[in-house]
Amino acid sequence: GAVVSQHPSRVICKSGTSVKIECRSLDFQATTMFWYRQFPKQSLMLMATSNEGSKATYEQGVEKDKFLINHASLTLSTLTVTSAHPEDSSFYICSARTGWVANYGYTFGSGTRLTVV
Amino acid sequence: DQQVKQNSPSLSVQEGRISILNCDYTNSMFDYFLWYKKYPAEGPTFLISISSIKDKNEDGRFTVFLNKSAKHLSLHIVPSQPGDSAVYFCAASMGGTASKLTFGTGTRLQVTL
């Protein structure tokens, strides 16, 4: 089945530094990727939708200059948290649109736990 | 504005019994609903889905019911097993499958022995 590999699974960084999270579709081409974040005991909130070769569409309230999304190929999308601060500490998850497959169009990565100290 | 809500943050059920997880939505434009199971520090795993043209979909131990007039759906797990213990999210989309998902707040299910 469709697999999305996300890494790193866990990262700790210092305040003010940038962190890049990668999501790769391993056995299919993902024209669309979704990026979510989840705070403890809360829902998954969609941050942005990225389409290969074009600019990402950000949800209301998400700073596009802080959360840089690049979807340069059909198998790779990256999220870069720039100038990270402790309030950016969260669980980030990517999801790829896979079309009409058994999981009805979505495959999720395993998530990245970001801790900013 | 939380368009998809799961009003029970937690649920405890004995092994072998039925687990019923509920979900309410406010946006009548949603036409596709999904249930996911999630463990801590992992991505969600798809369980079952239902289109708005149906009122029931069944897959093994999992059944999803949709009541469009009440804007309510529920997931039934029968029989519940200890391995079902996890957080369950309902999600909704509009404009067909593979459109962006709006997730509920999650319900933590604990299946006890």
Side-chain angles (χ1 to χ4, degrees):
Chain A
V3 175
V4 172
S5 174
Q6 180 174 349
H7 70 90
S9 58
R10 186 181 296 266
V11 59
I12 301 173
C13 71
K14 290 185 177 180
S15 189
T17 62
S18 295
V19 173
K20 181 185 283 188
I21 302 170
E22 290 189 351
C23 269
R24 294 181 184 272
S25 56
L26 296 186
D27 48 4
F28 66 98
Q29 293 183 329
T31 56
T32 302
M33 284 268 197
F34 303 95
W35 286 93
Y36 296 84
R37 67 187 296 183
Q38 183 189 22
F39 291 108
K41 297 184 179 181
Q42 293 190 25
S43 182
L44 282 75
M45 301 300 295
L46 181 65
M47 299 174 66
T49 302
S50 74
N51 292 294
E52 184 266 338
S54 62
K55 289 184 178 179
T57 303
Y58 290 81
E59 296 298 302
Q60 192 174 8
V62 177
E63 300 175 60
K64 62 181 180 181
D65 293 331
K66 180 167 188 60
F67 299 99
L68 300 179
I69 291 173
N70 185 286
H71 195 163
S73 80
L74 288 171
T75 58
L76 175 64
S77 179
T78 62
L79 167 67
T80 301
V81 184
T82 62
S83 187
H85 291 284
E87 58 266 29
D88 299 324
S89 298
S90 187
F91 190 64
Y92 294 86
I93 311 173
C94 64
S95 172
R97 175 183 288 180
T98 57
W100 292 88
V101 292
N103 56 355
Y104 286 86
Y106 307 90
T107 295
F108 284 83
S110 53
T112 298
R113 168 75 60 196
L114 170 63
T115 303
V116 185
V117 297
Chain B
D1 176 31
Q2 189 70 38
Q3 296 187 67
V4 180
K5 296 179 183 178
Q6 294 172 254
N7 291 318
S8 298
S10 64
L11 175 68
S12 183
V13 172
Q14 232 174 1
E15 181 182 13
R17 301 216 172 217
I18 183 172
S19 295
I20 300 176
L21 296 98
N22 294 303
C23 180
D24 297 292
Y25 62 97
T26 57
N27 192 336
S28 58
M29 298 298 291
F30 287 138
D31 59 5
Y32 206 80
F33 304 90
L34 304 91
W35 281 95
Y36 287 89
K37 177 180 179 180
K38 186 180 180 302
Y39 294 111
E42 292 185 15
T45 302
F46 171 78
L47 283 174
I48 192 169
S49 64
I50 188 167
S51 164
S52 60
I53 62 173
K54 294 186 175 182
D55 55 19
K56 177 182 175 181
N57 188 27
E58 196 171 349
D59 184 3
R61 296 186 298 116
F62 302 94
T63 303
V64 56
F65 295 92
L66 175 63
N67 183 332
K68 281 183 62 179
S69 61
K71 295 191 179 68
H72 176 83
L73 62 153
S74 61
L75 173 68
H76 292 209
I77 306 174
V78 181
S80 300
Q81 299 172 354
D84 296 329
S85 298
V87 178
Y88 289 77
F89 288 94
C90 64
S93 72
M94 62 181 83
T97 60
S99 301
K100 67 179 185 181
L101 295 176
T102 300
F103 280 86
T105 46
T107 296
R108 180 176 301 278
L109 173 65
Q110 173 112 24
V111 179
T112 58
L113 297 172

